[in-house]
Each structure stands twice: as C-alpha cells, then as structure tokens.
Amino acid sequence: MSTSKSWSGEREWLAGRRAWIASAVGLLLATSLACGPGTDVSHEDVLESTAQPATAVVPLFDSSTSLEPALVVDTPTALITRLADRARDRHARESQFQSYEHYLPLYFENRTISIEVLDRVAKGGSDITVNITSLWPLDTPDFRAFYLGQGVLTNYYFNVDMTQVDSLHYTATINYNQKANRPLQVGDRMEIEISQFLQPTVSGRANYYGTAFLYVVGQGGMVPWEGIGANLDSSPLAQTAWLGGRTTLSYSYSNEPQHLFKQMATNLAPVNAQPFVEGRRLHHTDFGDGSHSEVGNPVFTSQQNKLGPRFAARSCVGCHTNNGRALPPGASTAAVNVQFFANNAAWADLHYSINGGGQQSFRMAHDASNNNTYTVRDIPGGATVQYHFTIANASGGAVDTAAAQFTVSGGGSGGTSSYGYSVLSPPLSYVIKVGQVSGTTVTDHPLLGAALQSQSTSGSPEGNVSISSWTTTSGTFGDGTAYELRRPNYTFTGTVPANYSARLTPPLVGMGLLEAIPESSVASLEDPNDSNGDGISGRMQVVTDPQTGQQRLGRFGWKAGKARLSQQIAIALNQDMGVTTSIYPTPDCGSSQTCSAAGTELSDAELDKLVRYVSLLAVPARRNLGDAQAQQGESLFTSLGCAKCHAPTLTTSAYHPKAELRSQTIRPYTDLLLHDMGTGLADNLPEAGASGAEWRTPPLWGIGLTASVSGGEAYLHDGRARSLTEAILWHGGEANTSKESFRTQSSANRAALLKFLQSL
C-alpha cells in the first residue's frame, strides 16, 4: 500500500500539469460564445446519422470547432482520467444530516479541485496514482479508496494523507486492493473520496469533504453508481440508467431530493470546475441589489443595478426554483421575499433573525441614489422576523435603529420613510410572450415588446397577469373511471395583449447535451409530410442565428425558438430580468414605449460562466431498473406510440467544444422536433416557424423527480396538468392516437406506464 510519488521527479510532473492546464485555459478563452471555427485540437469518432434536413441548416459544430482537452487519455504507460470536484459539507451516504448535495457559503471561492487518475494497472503495471490540484493551500488532504462502510457509512479500507508536492499539488499512490486482499487488477471497483482541508486564513469554513466517485480499474472515466447491500457499497449503474451519458448523477443517499438538479456533471472537466461554481453564483444573484439567494454569501457588488428598468424576475433562480420546472401560482404563497431598505446613507448593515433564530448580519447593497437594500429570500409565511439596522451618519459614525419585528404575510411593508422593509410580490413564474400577429407575420407589441414585464425599477410596470379561473372538462377512461382536465383563464392588468403565450420555466438539466445533438440526427427523425403514414409529422424548427445570421436548428424553448444555449440564456436575461448582453444588447421594448439605450451589462465572460453552469448540470439517473411494473410500462411506452416523438436514445456530436458533452449516448426522450399537438394545447402566438398548435417535444429525463425538486407537480407549457396522467390526456393532434390508446388501456396498464415515467 505505497503512498510514494510515482514520477521520476516533481519538476517533470509539474511541467506536464502546467502545460496541460495552460492548454485547457487557452482553449476555454479561445472558444467564443458563438463557437466559431478554430483549431482542430482533437476529435473522437462517433457514429452519427448522415441524413440531411429538409430545410438546410448550418451545424453548430463541425470538424473545425476548437475542442477542450479530452477527459480520458490513453498513453503507453497509463490510462489517464481527469475530472473536477467541489467541496462538500458531509459524506455521500449520511442521510441523517442531509448535507451532501447542498452548497455551503462561499462555494465559489477556492473550493474546487482538479483530479488526475493515472491508471498503470490498465497497461500491465501494478499501481494507480491520484494527483490533485487545488486553488488554495491544503493541510494534507485525505485520500480515501475502496469503500468499507462497516459500523458507519463513511469509512474506507484505504485512508491516507496525500503527499504534498507544493502548496497547490498533492499526490497519493495505491497498489493493493484491501477489500479483496490482493494486488490491484483490471475490473476492480475503486470508490474514491478526497477531503479538502484548507489552510488557515481562508475566508469562511476550512474543512470539507468530497464527492464519492466510482472508478473501475482499466476502464477510464468515472461511472455513475448505486449502493448495494446494507452498507450501500458502490456498484456501477447499468448503462440504461445513464440518462445523461457520463454526465449522469449517481444515486443519492443523503435524503436531499430538492437538490438533485443542482449537481456538477459526474465527468466535469478540470477547466470547467471554477466556471461552473462562478456561473452558479450568477444564477443565484439578484441583479438589483447583488444579493445571493442562499444565506451566508456576500453581496455580488459588480452585479448590482443591472436589473430592469422593466423586468419579471430579479434573478435566474427566481423562476428556476431548484433548477426544476416551475409551478403555477396558487392562492397563497408558502414563502416570500422581503426587501429591507435604508435610504440616504453611505452604507448600512441589516441585522435580522427569523422565529427567534440566530441573528444574521449583512452589509446592504448601495446604489447611485445613496440608498441601501438587501433582500432576504424564502421566508416562510407566518414567520416572525426581528430586525434593526446600523446606518452610517453624516459625521462619519453610525447609529443603530431600534429593534422592530413583523409577521410575514403575502404583502405589506413597515418601518419609516428612511428605513424599513417591503414584502416583494412573488416573481411571475410564467413567461408571458406577447406580440402582434398579421397573417403569418409576428411583430413586437407596441406597448409591451416581446414579453410582459410585470415589475420595474422606476415608474410603472407594464402590467401583470394572473389566473382568474380554470375551465374544466370531464371525461372517462375506457374502464369507466372518470377524470377531469383543466385549463387556465388569465386576467391582465394594464395593457391586454390580443396575442400571447403563457409558459412556465422548464427544468435545466441536460441542456448542454441537447445542444450537442447533431443536426443530422434530428433530421433523421423528421417526417414533415408524414411519408410513412403513421400520423406523426414532426419537423425541424429553423431559426436565424442572431450572432451569425445563419439558419440553424431551433432546440431551446417550448417552441424551439433558440439555436444555442447561450442565446436561450441571453434572451431570458433580456426579457425576464432586463439585463443586456452582447447577444441581445437592446432592452425588450415596444415601439410606443420609452426605451433604454442599448448596451452590454453582463460581459461575455460572465455569460460564458452562466452557460457553462447550465450546460454541465448532471442529469439524474433512471431509477427502478429492476421493477417489473416499470419494465412493462417501458414496453407500453413504445407500443402506444409515445417513443415516436419522445425518442429514447440519441448520440451527441464528436465536435462539441466541451469534452463532457462529446460522443455521449444519452436518453433524453425527445426528438427536438415541432409537432402539432391540437387545438386543446394551442395558443394564438406563432414563434419563428412554429404555429400556435406546434410545440417542441420536451425531454422526459428527470420528470419522475418533479414533485421532489419543485415541491409539487405541474406539466405542459402552462402547468395546467396536475399529474402525468393529465399531461398525457391533453395530447391531441399528432399525438391523439397515442393519447386514445392510453385512455382505453386497463387501469393496470396505465399504472405501469406511469411507473415507467416516474423512473426517469
């Protein structure tokens, strides 16, 4: 069980590592948001369809695209795997703490590491070396290998302090499988965990644990795992469970289902570790006051005062709760956001506690008007909040205000004109697309632009919308069981658009993989004229790339209106938050409105971090693989025709810039095509080439986790379906035959199909 260094000299290893990192960083900087042509660094072979789309589109990626370094490198002496990790609160299997999947304060500061596994056993050698590179000096990090889990679910057979090479590089070598009491051999299941113990003077907490990764000796790359037996020993998941290829998340045993859509891809590259967490910080930042949605994180001062002037949400996470699908607003709000203010002061600190808990203190965001604000999010309805301020005075000192308290409700404000609080209206979970339609031409609404923005930083907002009632219809299954469907009726305040489309935010997982699907693969599924006579006539949405002017395959949005993930994020920043980028520098504004000047508020580098965060979120694994009812449901999914649109398996391009997304076999259950879903689901606002009745097939991966992640269930573009059963029953148009087949099935068969969907 040697822990000696495995190279002939530290200088050679460091030189090689620095060269690799320099190459990776150079590629990251060279790969623009538009991912234009560049140097061909390395390519991986993959079988892809050679079918050509009915309408010519320009591929996003091809053989000229610059590629980030491969994650698995086969050399004559070792099979090398490279990946990244983040600091964690507790161990993977400690369900009693529920503290493994969440993110601790300051997660974006010096708390990611790069990992390199040199597997010499794969080449006939006898040992494996694990090297790590940190961003902050560590106090001899712990390296654990070969899970034991006896007595407690946290111990390993092999547990050593790593050898320090220099202040940021550490290494350990293992040559024996204590679990099997023999030397290492190909096929051994080696779970590893690396604990980061940061040296003193680091800001915030210093001691952390790491992700439990499973490495199969001789194979290269980490694999998603499941826990077997009473001690939850790690074993590779069957590849049919790898919904997101090697990005797929291992099964979770920490009892934190609400966090499952927030995780790093299992195969995250070292070059993307820090951009991922910094992108997550932007995702959770209020673009008005710069506050973070999670307590304990500092104000992001460089992101203050970018909000608006008109907007619908203050942050990305304001609509994308837990990165899951949004729910329609109910009659009451379970949790609210409260904005505290202290006006006409050079600075101010807020001190508050909730329900008698510990006091929290934060420096408030200061703006150009000499006012200070800080937003506290997700305060439970009915909670008692105690607060006071420390406010700078004109003489250079400060004064503490008297303590005050209030009980949280759905609205209201308190305090004085100089300081106090205001309960914010909940963000509009819907995106309300608007426009004017003349024949086949759609233009921006003169008084609203392209989207309804229900809030403003100054002056009056454009208006608002609410669900005033539900129209219900009744029906029966083939066995006589009754069901009820509902659709929302909307009431607008302010300008009432004649043409609009209400859309709830979808889940964020897997979006990078959808971008990586080759256009040729989507084209092979297209049948716009229903030439095979099966009633399905899916077609590609073709959109104009706003950065290049080229014709592209539309992939993102309910009607596939955007070609690139960066463009989808940029339009959300623009229309939902009023934050401009180089892609969409002009604020959303109608021809009869007073419009702000064009500009770039979020830089390309910042947008790139947001894109890397969203594109590299792990896809949860499929569950209940051995369940007979779920297996029956999977067969019904095909025989009822569901798989004709919800295509189970696709392969991503070999040319996507990000190594994590290249050449992955994925199971998204979408064809990315537009389908006519009938008048029941139609809106009256066409988008690009899509009619009101046409919708892009939404992916189904992760759909079985909706209730756990989102805190409830709501499906389809406007959340009208309260269950998967209702979602199926709303299918019409091209999907009507499949819907009727489901409706007339026995209750046992219907339950089996639902069990399969819930396993995704």
Side-chain angles (χ1 to χ4, degrees):
M1 294 176 289
S2 169
T3 60
S4 63
K5 292 186 288 292
S6 62
W7 49 81
S8 57
E10 296 173 5
R11 292 180 181 176
E12 289 81 1
W13 177 73
L14 287 174
R17 287 291 294 157
R18 287 167 181 153
W20 184 87
I21 292 171
S23 170
V25 171
L27 274 169
L28 189 153
L29 295 174
T31 304
S32 69
L33 288 171
C35 298
T39 304
D40 183 3
V41 180
S42 65
H43 298 298
E44 302 160 11
D45 293 329
V46 66
L47 293 176
E48 298 173 0
S49 168
T50 57
Q52 296 301 311
T55 302
V57 294
V58 179
L60 291 177
F61 315 111
D62 58 26
S63 60
S64 67
T65 303
S66 296
L67 304 185
E68 293 172 9
L71 302 178
V72 178
V73 179
D74 196 344
T75 74
T77 58
L79 185 61
I80 302 173
T81 296
R82 295 186 175 109
L83 68 152
D85 195 17
R86 67 177 178 92
R88 292 185 183 263
D89 193 356
R90 296 293 309 182
H91 298 283
R93 298 169 176 86
E94 293 180 310
S95 61
Q96 70 272 33
F97 296 116
Q98 301 178 350
S99 298
Y100 176 73
E101 306 285 13
H102 73 150
Y103 286 75
L104 286 163
L106 302 177
Y107 60 88
F108 44 81
E109 290 186 2
N110 301 312
R111 287 166 173 84
T112 61
I113 59 172
S114 301
I115 304 172
E116 181 181 60
V117 179
L118 287 79
D119 180 357
R120 298 181 192 83
V121 178
K123 298 298 179 178
S126 60
D127 59 21
I128 294 175
T129 294
V130 176
N131 301 316
I132 71 167
T133 301
S134 63
L135 300 177
W136 187 269
L138 303 179
D139 184 8
T140 55
D142 282 355
F143 172 69
R144 305 178 183 91
F146 289 109
Y147 177 67
L148 174 60
Q150 290 186 0
V152 293
L153 299 178
T154 59
N155 51 4
Y156 290 74
Y157 283 98
F158 187 79
N159 192 338
V160 298
D161 289 341
M162 301 187 82
T163 300
Q164 182 172 339
V165 179
D166 61 26
S167 62
L168 299 180
H169 297 89
Y170 308 84
T171 185
T173 295
I174 182 170
N175 59 15
Y176 197 79
N177 181 345
Q178 280 185 296
K179 199 170 192 175
N181 196 27
R182 56 165 171 74
L184 294 176
Q185 64 183 35
V186 170
D188 281 351
R189 293 180 289 111
M190 186 175 77
E191 181 181 315
I192 66 171
E193 182 193 79
I194 299 170
S195 294
Q196 301 179 45
F197 299 133
L198 281 67
Q199 291 277 16
T201 72
V202 69
S203 177
R205 174 173 154 177
N207 293 342
Y208 298 92
Y209 302 100
T211 301
F213 291 107
L214 181 60
Y215 180 78
V216 179
V217 177
Q219 291 187 5
M222 299 298 166
V223 297
W225 59 269
E226 62 177 326
I228 302 296
N231 69 339
L232 300 175
D233 192 13
S234 51
S235 181
L237 275 168
Q239 292 194 18
T240 52
W242 298 13
L243 297 182
R246 285 189 178 269
T247 74
T248 303
L249 195 64
S250 298
Y251 282 176
S252 177
Y253 297 99
S254 61
N255 193 22
E256 301 170 272
Q258 72 274 24
H259 297 310
L260 291 181
F261 285 4
K262 303 176 183 178
Q263 305 308 310
M264 289 175 162
T266 294
N267 63 342
L268 189 74
V271 72
N272 283 322
Q274 200 57 28
F276 181 95
V277 293
E278 292 177 11
R280 185 184 190 274
R281 185 187 187 188
L282 286 164
H283 184 71
H284 284 258
T285 292
D286 182 311
F287 286 104
D289 61 24
S291 60
H292 195 288
S293 68
E294 296 162 328
V295 172
N297 291 297
V299 169
F300 205 163
T301 55
S302 64
Q303 302 304 324
Q304 292 175 337
N305 304 315
K306 294 183 178 180
L307 191 69
R310 290 180 286 266
F311 62 96
R314 301 181 65 89
S315 65
C316 303
V317 77
C319 290
H320 292 283
T321 303
N322 292 333
N323 290 347
R325 67 185 73 241
L327 305 178
S332 62
T333 303
V336 300
N337 299 335
V338 177
Q339 186 174 75
F340 293 87
F341 65 90
N343 295 332
N344 196 28
W347 59 265
D349 291 340
L350 167 68
H351 315 282
Y352 74 93
S353 63
I354 299 174
N355 289 333
Q359 179 175 288
Q360 304 285 329
S361 298
F362 294 97
R363 177 60 52 90
M364 303 173 74
H366 185 261
D367 64 23
S369 300
N370 206 33
N371 296 327
N372 304 274
T373 57
Y374 188 86
T375 303
V376 181
R377 290 174 172 77
D378 297 327
I379 302 178
T384 299
V385 178
Q386 297 85 27
Y387 72 97
H388 72 279
F389 302 92
T390 301
I391 303 176
N393 58 28
S395 62
V399 61
D400 288 332
T401 66
Q405 73 175 41
F406 63 94
T407 300
V408 173
S409 62
S413 59
T416 70
S417 59
S418 298
Y419 57 84
Y421 72 90
S422 178
V423 177
L424 300 177
S425 299
L428 189 67
S429 297
Y430 286 99
V431 172
I432 306 295
K433 299 282 188 181
V434 297
Q436 285 192 322
V437 179
S438 176
T440 59
T441 302
V442 181
T443 56
D444 287 352
H445 193 287
L447 295 175
L448 300 174
L452 175 64
Q453 295 169 317
S454 57
Q455 302 183 64
S456 63
T457 56
S458 62
S460 300
E462 293 177 339
N464 211 333
V465 63
S466 61
I467 297 176
S468 55
S469 63
W470 297 88
T471 297
T472 60
T473 57
S474 299
T476 57
F477 291 104
D479 59 10
T481 304
Y483 64 80
E484 180 185 82
L485 302 179
R486 64 173 192 171
R487 62 175 176 82
N489 300 308
Y490 300 101
T491 296
F492 290 83
T493 60
T495 301
V496 180
N499 300 94
Y500 65 91
S501 180
R503 304 177 191 177
L504 284 173
T505 51
L508 295 181
V509 294
M511 294 184 76
L513 292 165
L514 297 182
E515 183 180 70
I517 296 171
E519 289 80 359
S520 58
S521 295
V522 179
S524 71
L525 302 172
E526 189 181 32
D527 185 16
N529 299 315
D530 192 19
S531 58
N532 62 3
D534 65 353
I536 306 298
S537 52
R539 64 185 185 88
M540 296 171 64
Q541 167 77 292
V542 179
V543 299
T544 301
D545 190 316
Q547 296 169 273
T548 67
Q550 296 169 313
Q551 296 297 288
R552 305 281 196 190
L553 166 66
R555 302 167 187 260
F556 300 108
W558 284 101
K559 291 183 182 287
K562 293 292 176 283
R564 294 184 184 275
L565 182 54
S566 59
Q567 294 161 6
Q568 178 68 15
I569 292 173
I571 198 65
L573 286 163
N574 185 289
Q575 295 182 354
D576 299 352
M577 288 161 274
V579 178
T580 57
T581 62
S582 65
I583 300 177
Y584 296 107
T586 303
D588 180 51
C589 188
S591 59
S592 298
Q593 292 179 286
T594 301
C595 305
S596 301
T600 299
E601 294 173 306
L602 196 73
S603 70
D604 285 352
E606 291 165 332
L607 177 58
D608 182 64
K609 290 175 182 178
L610 260 176
V611 172
R612 288 176 186 271
Y613 169 65
V614 174
S615 66
L616 296 172
L617 288 166
V619 178
R622 179 178 165 184
R623 301 161 304 285
N624 299 321
L625 291 179
D627 186 281
Q629 187 183 31
Q631 292 171 347
Q632 178 194 4
E634 184 175 14
S635 297
L636 286 165
F637 187 82
T638 299
S639 64
L640 298 182
C642 308
K644 291 180 179 180
C645 300
H646 292 283
T649 304
L650 293 166
T651 301
T652 63
S653 170
Y655 302 129
H656 195 284
K658 298 178 180 63
E660 301 93 329
L661 308 177
R662 289 199 293 267
S663 303
Q664 297 296 315
T665 299
I666 61 174
R667 295 163 177 83
Y669 294 90
T670 179
D671 57 8
L672 292 182
L673 297 175
L674 293 173
H675 294 275
D676 186 330
M677 297 299 291
T679 57
L681 287 176
D683 60 31
N684 65 356
L685 185 69
E687 180 179 345
S691 71
E694 288 182 305
W695 303 92
R696 184 208 65 169
T697 306
L700 299 182
W701 46 21
I703 198 167
L705 295 170
T706 298
S708 297
V709 171
S710 300
E713 291 186 85
Y715 305 100
L716 304 177
H717 65 281
D718 55 9
R720 67 178 67 186
R722 294 161 289 188
S723 65
L724 290 170
T725 295
E726 288 188 18
I728 296 169
L729 292 171
W730 270 110
H731 282 51
E734 296 174 38
N736 192 65
T737 299
S738 294
K739 183 273 298 287
E740 281 298 296
S741 295
F742 171 76
R743 189 185 66 81
T744 56
Q745 292 292 309
S746 67
S747 60
N749 282 355
R750 297 197 306 271
L753 180 63
L754 296 175
K755 189 64 176 286
F756 164 66
L757 293 175
Q758 290 160 355
S759 76
L760 298 179

